[in-house]
Amino acid sequence: MKSMRPLFHPSIEDVTVEGILHALSDPVRVAIFADIAGSNCSQNCTTFVNVSERPIPKSTLSQHFKASERQA
């Protein structure tokens, strides 16, 4: 089984308001953030396949997660 790569967590000094706003400039990423913020437990990536009106392909979700990771 393929192991997952570790999550990237930038230092607080590297987080900018502009980066956060850019990461949340896409409605799908806003919906993902809202689901994460409103959840009481951890979730996996496939939880967010149905976060919008149409199912989101896993490859597209990966791009949204990468965009959020780069901007945060």
Side-chain angles (χ1 to χ4, degrees):
M1 186 157 110
K2 189 176 179 181
S3 64
M4 292 179 21
R5 67 181 176 88
L7 293 175
F8 170 75
H9 295 281
S11 67
I12 194 67
E13 295 82 22
D14 294 333
V15 176
T16 65
V17 172
E18 294 85 1
I20 292 169
L21 292 175
H22 182 272
L24 294 175
S25 65
D26 184 278
V28 171
R29 290 194 290 270
V30 171
I32 290 170
F33 174 76
D35 277 2
I36 291 170
S39 176
N40 292 329
C41 60
S42 62
Q43 301 173 351
N44 61 34
C45 296
T46 58
T47 302
F48 305 106
V49 168
N50 295 312
V51 77
S52 69
E53 297 172 1
R54 295 183 291 192
I56 302 170
K58 290 180 184 178
S59 59
T60 303
L61 279 175
S62 293
Q63 294 301 317
H64 284 299
F65 293 136
K66 286 179 185 176
S68 297
E69 182 179 275
R70 282 190 305 268
Q71 297 301 320

